[in-house]
């Protein structure tokens, strides 16, 4: 919504370009919360958020987890049979540039759909320049690359037509297929123990600064907690939650007799704590860090890493990638990884729903 804010006092119009996924999300939210959205646009700001000074409480809490990585070995093999790029029956519609146009946010007008493929700046390849592009990626012989393209099941004409229509076909179909025709990959799982500090002292000040809604903040002086419950948590004096389900999750864990210790870790990043998980982001193609929301030590000696997600995010591609990486690390470390949908947390007692599995181990939570 940032692009819709007023820049001057003059009334202006603008064209906003969104992906289809983002357009659908915006359309849904405007219809569901139209009055609220209009009010927020007219009265921007974060009047319901306040700044908090968050101080680290000694002693440092640590946990030993397994750092997990894969070592890959590349094995060359002889080109032996024609490559099938599977372009004949491929659905290339996902590469199409479609413009969805709505004349007004305030009126429920129909959405106009228009193909604008002609605006794509696609490179036009010949048989030889395409072979050269394959060589640039895979560092193979030009003669071999040209031969593979020419002898392919699809045929060079079909390959050129698809790649010249949408250059992304080269990355998604051609390069992977040629690679697997010439190479095999084996992987080996590697692990090592790493002691992680949940929260470090700030370097340049006596506290960290956070902004949060007042009703989503809990401190170690909250009168609703007993002294025993306070002792179970708070490696910082203030927890600033992002949502009601996060706060509710914490309340259920800190008040449960099944839980010995619980810490809210999701609010702290790499500059503040070590508890993060590296994962491959399928959307950006990059390795990123993910910070689970909670770490809990149960009375039976087992550990849990807990993530709270909105219901609409549970099946998100990136969320699934984070979950897969977290589960791999958790299995190697003897820790249980749990992902809760927000609606489940606010509508049930989650610690009664999930059977407690005893996972005794050598994972000391330092105190």
């Amino acid at each position: 919504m940032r692009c819709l804010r007023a820049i001057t006092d003059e009334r202006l119009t603008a064209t906003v370009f969104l992906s289809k996924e983002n357009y659908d999300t915006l359309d849904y939210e405007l219809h569901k919360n139209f009055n609220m959205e209009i009010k927020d646009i007219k009265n921007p700001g974060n009047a319901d958020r306040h700044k908090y000074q968050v101080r680290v409480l000694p002693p440092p809490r640590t946990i030993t987890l397994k750092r997990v990585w894969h070592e890959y070995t590349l094995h060359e093999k002889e080109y032996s049979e024609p490559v099938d790029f599977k372009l004949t029956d491929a659905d290339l519609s996902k590469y199409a540039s479609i413009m969805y146009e709505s004349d007004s946010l305030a009126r429920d007008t129909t959405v106009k759909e228009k193909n604008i493929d002609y605006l794509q700046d696609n490179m036009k390849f010949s048989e030889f320049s395409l072979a050269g592009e394959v060589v640039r990626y895979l560092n193979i012989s030009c003669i071999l690359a040209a031969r593979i393209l020419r002898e392919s099941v699809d045929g060079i004409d079909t390959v050129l037509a698809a790649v010249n229509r949408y250059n992304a076909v080269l990355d998604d179909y051609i390069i992977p297929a040629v690679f697997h025709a010439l190479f095999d990959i084996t992987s080996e799982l590697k692990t090592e123990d790493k002691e992680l500090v949940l929260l470090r002292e700030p370097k340049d000040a006596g506290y960290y600064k956070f902004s949060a809604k007042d009703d989503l903040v809990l401190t170690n002086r909250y009168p609703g907690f007993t002294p025993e419950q306070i002792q179970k948590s708070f490696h910082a004096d203030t927890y600033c939650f992002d949502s009601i389900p996060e706060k509710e999750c914490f309340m259920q864990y800190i008040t449960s007799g099944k839980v010995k210790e619980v810490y809210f870790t999701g609010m702290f990043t790499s500059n503040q704590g070590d508890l993060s998980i590296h994962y491959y982001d399928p959307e950006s193609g990059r390795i990123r860090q993910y910070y689970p929301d909670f770490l809990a030590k149960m009375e039976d000696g087992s550990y849990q890493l807990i993530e709270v997600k909105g219901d609409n995010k549970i099946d998100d591609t990136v969320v699934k990638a984070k979950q897969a990486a977290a589960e791999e690390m958790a299995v190697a470390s003897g820790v249980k990884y749990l992902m809760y949908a927000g609606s489940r947390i606010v509508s049930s007692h989650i610690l009664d729903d999930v059977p407690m599995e005893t996972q005794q181990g050598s994972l000391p939570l330092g105190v």
Side-chain angles (χ1 to χ4, degrees):
M1 305 303 292
R2 184 186 300 271
C3 58
L4 303 181
R5 66 185 179 184
I7 299 175
T8 68
D9 293 334
E10 182 182 356
R11 184 180 179 88
L12 302 172
T13 61
T15 300
V16 180
F17 293 93
L18 303 171
S19 67
K20 182 60 167 64
E21 292 77 12
N22 285 340
Y23 179 89
D24 291 341
T25 299
L26 176 62
D27 185 61
Y28 172 75
E29 293 297 334
L30 285 172
H31 280 82
K32 186 179 70 170
N33 300 310
F34 189 76
N35 291 332
M36 182 191 75
E37 293 293 340
I38 292 298
K39 180 183 68 176
D40 288 347
I41 294 172
K42 290 181 178 179
N43 302 292
N46 294 314
D48 58 343
R49 299 178 71 91
H50 295 97
K51 293 182 178 179
Y52 289 87
Q53 296 178 357
V54 177
R55 292 173 170 80
V56 179
L57 296 180
R61 276 70 164 186
T62 64
I63 184 171
T64 300
L65 296 175
K66 295 283 188 182
R67 186 172 73 93
V68 179
W69 72 97
H70 295 263
E71 288 190 359
Y72 295 92
T73 304
L74 193 65
H75 308 277
E76 292 189 40
K77 59 183 181 181
E78 291 293 326
Y79 167 60
S80 58
E81 59 184 33
V83 175
D84 186 358
F85 296 116
K86 297 181 172 59
L87 294 175
T88 303
D89 299 321
D91 180 12
L92 304 183
S93 61
K94 63 179 179 180
Y95 301 116
S97 295
I98 306 296
M99 181 172 68
Y100 301 88
E101 183 178 0
S102 180
D103 295 330
S104 173
L105 296 176
R107 299 186 299 273
D108 192 16
T109 57
T110 59
V111 177
K112 287 79 173 176
E113 182 177 323
K114 181 180 180 182
N115 186 296
I116 53 173
D117 276 352
Y118 62 90
L119 293 177
Q120 289 193 26
D121 188 18
N122 281 315
M123 181 180 294
K124 297 302 179 183
F125 292 97
S126 67
E127 178 179 348
F128 300 108
S129 62
L130 182 58
E133 193 71 3
V134 173
V135 170
R136 188 172 70 85
Y137 275 88
L138 301 179
N139 193 30
I140 61 176
S141 160
C142 292
I143 296 175
L144 176 59
R147 178 187 170 193
I148 292 174
L149 294 172
R150 189 171 54 253
E151 295 179 355
S152 66
V153 174
D154 309 76
I156 186 60
D157 292 337
T158 299
V159 172
L160 281 173
V163 172
N164 287 334
R165 183 182 179 189
Y166 300 117
N167 285 173
V169 170
L170 177 65
D171 297 326
D172 294 347
Y173 288 85
I174 308 303
I175 299 297
V178 174
F179 177 85
H180 288 295
L182 300 177
F183 303 97
D184 284 327
I185 297 178
T186 57
S187 66
E188 183 179 359
L189 183 66
K190 299 280 189 176
T191 65
E192 68 174 358
D193 289 339
K194 294 284 288 187
E195 185 179 65
L196 307 177
V197 178
L198 300 191
L199 183 59
R200 296 188 298 272
E201 290 282 353
K203 294 180 179 179
D204 303 322
Y207 52 83
Y208 293 111
K209 293 181 181 179
F210 288 88
S211 177
K213 295 181 179 180
D214 293 341
D215 60 347
L216 294 178
V217 175
L218 287 173
T219 75
N220 63 337
R221 298 177 298 279
Y222 176 62
F225 292 142
T226 66
E228 291 77 17
Q229 290 168 347
I230 295 291
Q231 290 297 316
K232 293 167 65 170
S233 189
F234 292 105
H235 60 324
D237 64 353
T238 304
Y239 285 160
C240 301
F241 301 99
D242 288 331
S243 65
I244 291 174
E246 277 189 358
K247 182 181 177 182
E248 173 65 20
C249 182
F250 178 73
M251 295 294 285
Q252 291 194 32
Y253 267 76
I254 198 173
T255 57
S256 172
K258 298 178 180 179
V259 179
K260 187 173 184 178
E261 299 174 42
V262 59
Y263 300 99
F264 180 46
T265 54
M267 66 185 285
F268 302 112
T269 62
S270 59
N271 294 325
Q272 299 152 346
D274 299 330
L275 183 57
S276 65
I277 298 164
H278 288 84
Y279 72 99
Y280 174 76
D281 183 342
E283 292 188 350
S284 67
R286 296 178 180 272
I287 300 296
R288 299 191 181 278
Q289 286 180 282
Y290 149 58
Y291 302 88
D293 289 325
F294 298 96
L295 171 68
K297 181 179 181 180
M298 313 307 289
E299 283 290 350
D300 62 9
S302 64
Y303 288 82
Q304 293 183 1
L305 282 174
I306 304 134
E307 179 68 17
V308 177
K309 281 295 176 191
D311 292 35
N312 63 327
K313 290 292 186 180
I314 290 291
D315 294 323
D316 180 81
T317 302
V318 175
V319 171
K320 288 293 187 183
K322 293 177 180 179
Q323 182 179 8
E327 288 176 343
E328 184 176 54
M329 184 275 293
V331 169
S333 302
V335 174
K336 190 176 183 66
Y337 179 78
L338 297 169
M339 181 177 287
Y340 293 116
S343 61
R344 179 182 172 189
I345 293 173
V346 298
S347 63
S348 66
H349 297 286
I350 53 177
L351 286 164
D352 294 335
D353 294 343
V354 179
M356 294 294 101
E357 296 180 10
T358 302
Q359 294 179 330
Q360 305 287 352
S362 55
L363 296 175
L365 188 61
V367 294

